[in-house]
Structure formats: structure tokens, C-alpha cells
Amino acid sequence: MDGSAEVFSHDALAFSVLDSEVRLAILDSLYERTVASGPLAGNATYSTIKADVDVEDSGRFSYHLDRLTDQFVTKTESGYRLAEPGREVVRLRRTGVLTEDPTVEAEPVDGACYYCGSGIQAFYRRGYLVTWCPECPGLIEHELVADGTLASLSYPPAGVTGVDIETAFERSHRRAAQAFRAMADGFCPNCGHDVTATLPPAEGGDPGDDGYGFRHVNHDGMVRFACTHCGQRRISHPLYATDDRGPMADFFAANGLDPGWDRIAAVMPWSVTGDGDELVFEAPGGTRFRVDDELEVRRE
Ligand SMILES: [Zn+2]
Ligand SMILES: [Zn+2]
């Protein structure tokens, strides 16, 4: 990768600037004063920030503020504001992903397993909100994943801290649904680059070297998304990832199925067959939905 050494050294320099409790406190103060306080809030003055971070020594405070200025903090005629990288740092810290590792034990949530019909449960461990069936093998077969896993969604610690697991379960599915829709539209919700969508190989075909995703999933109709830049990868059901458009939007609305778990649970048990480069799903009652390799869906 050309220029990677230079990128690394710039990134290392940026992270080194953050290696200070005083500087993180300055970013927090500026966030509260100029971002969280409302859109287009004013600047914060030197003395306000200094009082917030409670550093007596002016020389020491100025040194830390100067280190942040330009990259993370913008100096204006009347004070200071947070530059976008400074905002991102505060937001990232508040998600808890850097330092928190809460565990929430499995509890029943409102829904049924799309394979066996049992009541489902949800738990949170190591940054993942897991939707789990205690009665069957589930969807994902992998040594890192509990037997019975129906969905394993990356979710920030803040989303399960002070939020009950039922709510976190619902929100994690809605949040994932938004990411799937973006990826089905061809772009990465994380970095904005192009995303490739890959349907399973035709019957008997070789999933290839990067068959990760197809080999570990107990379902023949899942689509795999991969971002060409940041490497974000997701696996979903093509009729779920396109739930906001075309025939699937109509289908879900007509059947009163809200975005999130109810929709994925509805389509997962449908039978699927390959037809050339396309997949054909059959709903109970015989309605068929055909998906091509660009994720265009047609109702037949
Ligand atoms: Zn089950
Ligand atoms: Zn990306």
C-alpha cells in the first residue's frame, strides 16, 4: 500500500496528542460547551475551559491546549471550538468501545426462533449483542459463537448500560438494518466507500478462499457484504437488506411487520433455490421473490 508508512506516522502522531488526561478533559469541556449545548452554540473562552478542567497552572494548561489546537481544536477570535476530529474522539469515548466491557446475561426477549419456534433470548458479551435460541443450533456455526446464535451484532457498550436488554435487542436489530440497507445500496455506512455484495455460489460451487460467511451460516440464501476500504463485513438476508424499497417494502408494510427483528424473522425460514446467478425465495402461500446479483428484487 503506497504511502502507508506516512499514514501510520500521521496517525501515530494524532494518537500521541491524545495521550494526556488533561487534553481529554479539554476535549470534554469543549464538547459540553460548544457541541452538546446545542446547534451553532458559541465558542468557549480560555478561562471557561481552564476552570472546567481544573488546572491551576496557566503555563501547563496553555501547553496542553496548544497541543490540541489545529487538529482537534479550532482557535477563533473569541475563543475555542471543537474541530470535527475532536468531536469524533469524544463521541468514540462515549460509546464505551475503548474501555468498557460489560456483560449482560441471557434473558428472554419478545420474539420466536425462525427455525424452531422457541422463545428467543438476548445477551451481550465482548461488544456483541447476541440473539440466541436455547433450543436449536441456530444460524451461525463458529467456534467463537455460542450454539444457538441467530444473530450476532456489533453494538457499543453504551447501548446496554442503563438500557434494558429488550430495548437493546430491538435497537441493535434496527441499527443493523440501517447498515444493511446502506450496504445493499452499494456503500459503506462506516466510511462511505464502495461495498461489494456477493450471493452464495451456485449449488456445489466453491465458496472460494474468502468463503468466510457462507461456510459458517446454516442458510443457503444469505448475501455477504464487504467494504473495499475499511474492510467492514456483514452477512444478511437479501430480502431483509432491501426492506426499504420495491416489493419488500410493500410486503412488510402489507403484513404489518416493523423494521428490525420481526422482518428478518419473517424471511429467514423461506425456502430458497438458486437459478443461474439469481436466488428465488418462496414465501408461505407461494409468493416468490427473485433476487439478482445486484440485489434487485422482483415479485413473481
Ligand atoms: Zn431455535
Ligand atoms: Zn468501509
Side-chain angles (χ1 to χ4, degrees):
M1 212 184 277
D2 287 347
S4 63
E6 198 181 333
V7 170
F8 273 124
S9 80
H10 284 154
D11 285 352
L13 199 60
F15 282 113
S16 75
V17 169
L18 299 171
D19 183 17
S20 154
E21 284 178 32
V22 174
R23 285 173 229 159
L24 293 179
I26 290 172
L27 295 182
D28 263 341
S29 163
L30 275 164
Y31 197 85
E32 288 298 329
R33 300 276 175 189
T34 70
V35 180
S37 52
L40 305 179
N43 301 314
T45 63
Y46 178 93
S47 54
T48 300
I49 310 164
K50 184 166 178 284
D52 280 349
V53 303
D54 202 18
V55 172
E56 293 277 314
D57 181 336
S58 290
R60 180 166 168 249
F61 174 74
S62 295
Y63 164 76
H64 286 301
L65 184 55
D66 283 349
R67 288 294 307 274
L68 290 166
T69 301
D70 290 341
Q71 184 160 21
F72 295 103
V73 171
T74 305
K75 192 173 189 316
T76 68
E77 283 180 8
S78 57
Y80 296 86
R81 301 186 60 76
L82 264 189
E84 188 57 24
R87 297 174 192 221
E88 285 283 5
V89 169
V90 176
R91 290 186 204 116
L92 180 65
R93 291 184 64 218
R94 291 187 180 189
T95 65
V97 296
L98 295 175
T99 51
E100 291 168 38
D101 185 19
T103 296
V104 180
E105 298 302 333
E107 279 183 42
V109 292
D110 188 18
C113 174
Y114 45 71
Y115 282 144
C116 75
S118 300
I120 54 169
Q121 304 193 3
F123 64 85
Y124 186 80
R125 197 170 300 156
R126 300 224 170 268
Y128 283 82
L129 196 308
V130 177
T131 303
W132 180 64
C133 176
E135 302 292 339
C136 78
L139 173 69
I140 302 168
E141 267 186 58
H142 194 282
E143 60 196 15
L144 296 176
V145 171
D147 286 350
T149 294
L150 297 169
S152 181
L153 302 172
S154 168
Y155 201 63
V160 294
T161 311
V163 177
D164 65 79
I165 191 74
E166 175 86 43
T167 303
F169 157 75
E170 288 170 10
R171 290 177 181 174
S172 70
H173 280 282
R174 286 190 174 225
R175 181 174 180 263
Q178 290 173 352
F180 296 145
R181 289 175 200 136
M183 295 181 107
D185 260 344
F187 72 96
C188 176
N190 184 49
C191 76
H193 275 252
D194 291 345
V195 160
T196 57
T198 312
L199 293 176
E203 206 166 330
D206 184 350
D209 289 341
D210 61 351
Y212 154 81
F214 294 133
R215 274 199 277 269
H216 298 293
V217 173
N218 296 322
H219 194 292
D220 294 330
M222 303 294 274
V223 58
R224 186 189 58 193
F225 297 115
C227 174
T228 55
H229 178 70
C230 75
Q232 170 105 269
R233 281 169 177 248
R234 296 277 200 157
I235 298 169
S236 186
H237 193 295
L239 300 184
Y240 180 54
T242 54
D243 75 340
D244 60 336
R245 68 192 86 140
M248 295 320 295
D250 296 341
F251 173 86
F252 289 123
N255 288 276
L257 295 165
D258 289 332
W261 172 260
D262 288 349
R263 291 186 175 185
I264 185 78
V267 297
M268 283 298 285
W270 295 1
S271 72
V272 56
T273 48
D275 182 11
D277 289 342
E278 303 185 337
L279 294 176
V280 180
F281 296 89
E282 187 166 331
T287 307
R288 284 150 54 102
F289 294 91
R290 179 179 288 272
V291 183
D292 70 16
D293 56 3
E294 302 203 314
L295 300 187
E296 288 298 321
V297 180
R298 277 171 291 145
R299 181 175 179 146
E300 299 186 328

